[in-house]
Amino acid sequence: MATARRHTATGPDPLPDGAAVRHEALHGLPDIARPATVSTDDARRLSVALFVRLAELEEGTPEHAYVRNTLIELNISLVRFAARRFRNRAEPAEDIVQIGTIGLIKAIDRFDPERGTDFSAFALPTVIGEMKRYFRDTSWAVRVPRRLQELRIDVAKAVDTLEQQLGHRPSRAELADHLHLSEEGVAEGELASNGYVARSLDAPCGDAGADPGAGSRHLATAEPSYELIEYLESLKPLLARLDARDRTILSLRFGEDLTQAQIGARLGLSQMHVSRLLARILHELRDGLLAEPAATEDGTDG
């Protein structure tokens, strides 16, 4: 590849290799010195242009890698935002961010800018899913092969299904017949359940005939209401910053489920005006959620 050149007072001067790659990769787009420090609004705007440029470049080239890496750095705040929901886990926050970054990279590689979808809305489920997958795979008290992890789930589901059909707790032979396994295979799945959660030696003993995995299944059930509460708590300070009209518009739209035209009629505004106001309000709330928390004087997050 020919080395890019720049013109100086004394004539054309070749750019260093790294600068040449950057120059060719950006192709007229602004050079971002520190992508991770760019504001959320600027990151979103720049990402749109960079995704278009990424689609133009050949995968595997240095230019493609440069634009891809810039997109990762620009959107790392999205990963940090997603990591906050797991802040009560024992794992270090930076480890969770690293796992989430894998999801971010997958989202970047799959994103199609021509669909007109906002990248943060597209990427967030993938980032969170990668984190959940990590916790799912590492939440066992002892390391259990994935085959046995999946077998444990199959056995647990079969127990629930057959118990409803038969009216009693299924025997190992009945489970084996239902799953098309040998009784030894079912026994492996039941044994794997013991590795899913470590019970305290001081815990009271339950029913001697209880399925060893029954308790772990209930403990591992996700409670969606907790996630909703977390989102609402994160939104509270952001909603408090809005003026009365903006809060009213949100209440009418999402509380009373009114259409934009109905909101306009209620407030004496055109439907188009309501649409613009809603877009601005939601944009501000999303930016607030994605923004990094301010550090207090003692170094903790405020």
Side-chain angles (χ1 to χ4, degrees):
M1 182 180 70
T3 305
R5 303 177 70 86
R6 66 184 174 208
H7 288 273
T8 65
T10 58
D13 181 32
L15 293 171
D17 288 345
V21 169
R22 185 167 64 250
H23 177 82
E24 181 63 27
L26 294 175
H27 197 62
L29 294 175
D31 192 355
I32 311 163
R34 300 174 60 192
T37 64
V38 172
S39 70
T40 304
D41 191 49
D42 286 342
R44 182 178 296 107
R45 178 176 53 80
L46 290 166
S47 292
V48 171
L50 286 170
F51 271 117
V52 173
R53 179 58 181 153
L54 189 70
E56 298 170 348
L57 294 169
E58 182 180 352
E59 189 172 349
T61 62
E63 292 80 11
H64 185 280
Y66 178 83
V67 173
R68 184 171 178 261
N69 289 338
T70 303
L71 280 166
I72 294 170
E73 292 185 67
L74 271 178
N75 292 280
I76 198 68
S77 62
L78 182 70
V79 179
R80 296 191 181 280
F81 164 70
R84 289 183 216 166
R85 66 190 301 174
F86 303 109
R87 56 182 172 270
N88 293 326
R89 296 275 186 165
E91 288 81 356
E94 281 307 309
D95 287 356
I96 301 175
V97 169
Q98 287 183 21
I99 296 300
T101 303
I102 296 173
L104 175 64
I105 294 170
K106 290 179 178 179
I108 289 173
D109 290 342
R110 293 203 305 258
F111 184 66
D112 182 359
E114 293 186 0
R115 292 182 177 271
T117 307
D118 180 70
F119 175 69
S120 59
F122 173 84
L124 190 58
T126 305
V127 171
I128 292 175
E130 197 69 31
M131 293 175 179
K132 286 183 175 179
R133 189 176 301 109
Y134 168 76
F135 289 121
R136 181 196 67 198
D137 291 348
T138 59
S139 61
W140 295 71
V142 294
R143 193 62 190 163
V144 176
R146 181 175 289 277
R147 178 183 68 83
L148 293 182
Q149 295 181 28
E150 294 173 350
L151 179 58
R152 179 199 71 85
I153 295 172
D154 291 340
V155 170
K157 288 179 178 177
V159 168
D160 292 339
T161 300
L162 291 177
E163 195 165 14
Q164 293 182 21
Q165 293 177 356
L166 304 174
H168 64 81
R169 188 167 194 81
S171 66
R172 186 171 291 169
E174 290 169 328
L175 285 169
D177 182 63
H178 179 78
L179 294 169
H180 306 292
L181 297 172
S182 65
E183 291 190 32
E184 290 76 13
V186 174
E188 275 191 299
E190 292 174 340
L191 185 61
S193 298
N194 293 326
Y196 189 63
V197 61
R199 296 191 63 192
S200 168
L201 294 176
D202 296 326
C205 296
D207 183 1
D211 175 20
S216 65
R217 286 203 306 277
H218 291 300
L219 289 174
T221 300
E223 174 49 67
S225 297
Y226 294 153
E227 182 177 322
L228 178 60
I229 291 170
E230 181 175 351
Y231 284 143
L232 291 175
E233 287 300 313
S234 298
L235 278 171
K236 274 184 179 180
L238 302 176
L239 293 172
R241 299 176 196 166
L242 299 177
D243 60 33
R245 186 180 68 172
D246 287 354
R247 288 198 297 271
T248 299
I249 291 174
L250 286 178
S251 177
L252 293 175
R253 180 68 187 91
F254 299 105
E256 300 186 28
D257 200 25
L258 299 186
T259 65
Q260 294 178 2
Q262 290 170 328
I263 295 171
R266 183 82 64 91
L267 300 180
L269 303 171
S270 68
Q271 182 271 331
M272 185 63 70
H273 192 185
V274 172
S275 177
R276 287 197 296 266
L277 290 173
L278 263 175
R280 175 185 58 77
I281 295 167
L282 295 176
H283 183 80
E284 290 178 3
L285 292 176
R286 182 169 52 191
D287 282 354
L289 285 173
L290 293 177
E292 289 292 322
T296 58
E297 290 183 1
D298 61 1
T300 59
D301 290 341

